[in-house]
Amino acid sequence: MRVFRAIGRLVKGTWWLFVGMVTTTKHFLRRAITIQYPKERFEQWPRFRGRVAMVAGDDGGHKCTACAQCIRVCPAACITLERHKEGGVKGFVVDGYVIDIGLCIYCGLCVEVCNFDALAMVPEYEMSVYDKAELVYDIPKLLSRQLEPEFKK
Amino acid sequence: MATDTAIHTQEFQVNMGPQHPSTHGVFRMVLTMDGERVVDCEPHVGFLHRSMEKMAENRLYIQFLPMADRIDYLSSLFCSVAHCQAVEQLMEIEVPPRAKYLRTMFMELNRIASHCIFFGVFALDLGAVTPFLYGFRERELTMDLLEMTTGQRITFNYPRFGGVAADLPDSFFAVAEKFLKVFPGRITDYERILNENEIFLARTKGVGVVDGARAINYGWSGPNLRASGVNFDLRQNMPYEAYGELGYEAVVLSNGDCYDRYLVRILEMRASHALIKKCLEGLPDGPIVKEKVSKFPKVPAGEVYARVESPRGDYGLYLVSDGTNKPYRYKLRTPSFNNLSMIREMLPGVYLADVVPIFGSLDVILPDVDR
């Protein structure tokens, strides 16, 4: 009896090994889904939240009004803003706007709370640098990449 | 000639982790061994402690939303949905039906992604490399769907107080249809490779058996509990979001060994697939976010307990608000911690080789344990 059971197990085990091999062979003959990264690249979906960028206005400059809503919402506190009041001008004047990409967690909340569409997430993901100081993005650097913001509120 | 044939052994200790590949993160077990047998196991957790609860208490409600994604990064949507549910319950916000359906659908997609990882990693722990690649391949499909809607692949930051952040893009439906068509066949492939494989059966059947009563005593939840024959699933027993309308029947198996814990997850992937299909078919029109909910809400004073069925089990969140814009107390009840708590009782008596399948079948994730 034990012999028969052992033979039965052997046959069953071999059969399921065979089924598994057929499955893997089928996949082996398919086209590979991996890509060779530095040579080939994925195309990002338009909404992909890469890094934060400033949206250029009609004059090519930024649209920030220094309302500081983005600073209020930022969970990582990576945005710094310098502003001052000036006589005759309504609101604030922006002196400097800096985002430390090294601290940013790419949540996109700053883009969402911005009432003036001054910020957008652009699908850029290769931001490695050799020096940490290069990760601090100021206004010209934030304006350097322009894309139609698809991630609508 | 009469000799003493018994070999006298000495107990010794083996450190497993914190850098061991099959501890899925940084988890350390000090195993006291008697030859091949485990005598005692001393688990050490806390290597990944990031004081999430305290971080929540020091941030605005909206600021913790992307952070909640990082509590359990393989199923991050569940944590942020629970966060939103707690705030919505205190503020008495009714979420629009479309937002409910969207949340449900993406939670199920995220569940599939998480179970795919479990499938791959569990098989990898047992020495099979192919399922790992298959699991990650299918996870990529769900990630694509999540990425094109939410904008991220892992930390989605998708739900908002009173709804969700974004509606489906136009290209979503074609990709989703392709995924729904392809995925059942892929699960069949998974089953063909592992379900009846002799080596896999030998290493998982009857290993690490936990009966239902013991599982309940230790506060187990999720697939681990259902593998022990307890019919409890929040989606079925306490429906939230759109589960009540969709209807869901929990997958329950009875043996409570490593194999059943594996099989429950495979069957749940099929159930999730059916739910996503139902969601897409019955997706109501309308707004995706409730009007006039502040981005920086002041939550009325009170206490609330929100719970969701995450891929690892019952994810609970106890929130105490004192009426300001920050939580007063933010207590997390993460499923992985409770599921892991039995490891000290499960391990004594088993072989060293069985430690890996037992630990792997619990499907704990260490950031969720330590949080």
Side-chain angles (χ1 to χ4, degrees), chain B residues 18 229 236:
Chain B
Q236 169 195 286

Side-chain angles (χ1 to χ4, degrees), chain A residues 9 12-13 16-17 19-20 23-24 26-28 30 33 42 44-45 47-50 69 71-76 105-109 112-113 151-153, chain B residues 59-60 62-63 66-67 70 130 134 137 140 144 147-152 155-157 160 165-169 171 175 186 189 192-193 196-198 295-296:
Chain A
R9 247 184 94 186
K12 197 177 155 232
W16 281 105
L17 273 184
V19 171
T23 313
T24 44
K26 241 192 273 171
H27 284 280
F28 178 69
R30 280 186 190 170
I33 59 150
F42 271 123
Q44 305 298 323
W45 297 101
R47 283 184 187 179
F48 179 68
R49 297 203 301 267
Q69 285 291 305
I71 295 172
R72 192 178 166 202
V73 81
C74 182
I105 62 167
Y106 312 105
C107 62
L109 286 177
E112 212 171 295
V113 296
F151 195 84
K152 289 268 157 60
K153 285 185 233 180
Chain B
R59 278 177 165 75
L60 304 177
I62 182 100
Q63 281 185 331
M67 301 274 176
R70 276 125 177 116
T130 316
Y134 288 6
R137 182 187 60 193
E140 204 65 23
D144 270 353
E147 185 194 343
M148 62 200 291
T149 313
T150 66
Q152 279 288 17
T155 50
F156 312 110
N157 190 19
R160 291 286 180 277
D167 209 341
L168 301 175
S171 50
V175 183
R186 300 284 167 86
D189 282 350
R192 279 196 188 139
I193 295 176
E196 300 291 337
N197 187 298
E198 193 61 32
K295 285 260 189 312
F296 305 94

